[in-house]
Amino acid sequence: DDAVKKGARCLAGGYTPSKDTAIGQGSFYPPTLLVDVPEDALIRREEIFGPIMCVVKVPNDSDAEAVRMANDCDFALGSCVWSRSKSRARKIARQLDAGMSAINDLGGTTYMSQSLPFGGAKRSGFDRFAGPEGLRGLCYPHVYSEDWVPFMKNTLPPLLQLPTSGKAFEFASSLMSMAYGVTLSQKLHGLKNLLALVIFPPKRPASKKDC
């Protein structure tokens, strides 16, 4: 009703069978076809666990607009892309915010392939079942570490020890830039600042004990 009130046209179904009929005795809902469904209609924003198909025309047959319209939803479990050109379909599928995409086939093919991870994105959830990713979800990771070299001990760098010299943040940020900088210049800049702090360390303020 919401979609029709906002401009959509119902070409088939769209009604609740009367209790006086055979199909109205249970939970049967007739297959429904809606066309020209506007973007603000609830049926394009909410999950529909029923036999309802919404047909929307993409302006100017634009792939970019089709992707935008498909992604303009909080739910993103599965998707299907149909095209005479498989390369075009693959390009569109790669841009969809969905956990699964089928090319020129029904979405159930991704579910029936038990070697593939099943799951979605956004409000459709994140974790997976089936496939290697699903098996990892059943595992209990246990991480441990130890020093390879016996005489090496992990100690807190002097610049991070209390009382600090006021350069703790600069030291930590330089270390992060050197280790995780995206570009070579970022890594070198972090290394330069790090060496300057290590070679010419600032004086630490006297502690209460020293006083």
Side-chain angles (χ1 to χ4, degrees), residues 129-185:
F129 75 81
E133 292 79 4
L135 291 176
R136 292 191 186 101
L138 300 175
C139 297
Y140 176 74
H142 181 183
V143 180
Y144 70 96
S145 63
E146 60 179 299
D147 293 324
W148 283 7
V149 183
F151 60 82
M152 291 186 64
K153 301 296 181 181
N154 291 327
T155 58
L156 195 65
L159 288 173
L160 299 180
Q161 295 178 8
L162 296 175
T164 64
S165 61
K167 296 291 184 178
F169 177 79
E170 186 177 346
F171 176 83
S173 60
S174 299
L175 184 63
M176 297 296 288
S177 296
M178 182 191 71
Y180 303 107
V182 177
T183 64
L184 180 60
S185 61

Side-chain angles (χ1 to χ4, degrees), residues 15-72:
Y15 66 94
T16 302
S18 172
K19 295 295 183 181
D20 299 331
T21 62
I23 62 175
Q25 298 302 314
S27 301
F28 178 80
Y29 188 81
T32 299
L33 176 62
L34 293 171
V35 299
D36 301 330
V37 182
E39 291 194 52
D40 62 342
L42 294 178
I43 204 166
R44 286 183 59 174
R45 302 286 178 178
E46 301 176 349
E47 287 187 305
I48 311 167
F49 290 99
I52 303 176
M53 175 178 285
C54 298
V55 179
V56 180
K57 185 176 181 180
V58 179
N60 303 317
D61 196 28
S62 168
D63 290 357
E65 182 63 10
V67 170
R68 185 199 68 79
M69 294 170 69
N71 288 338
D72 188 24

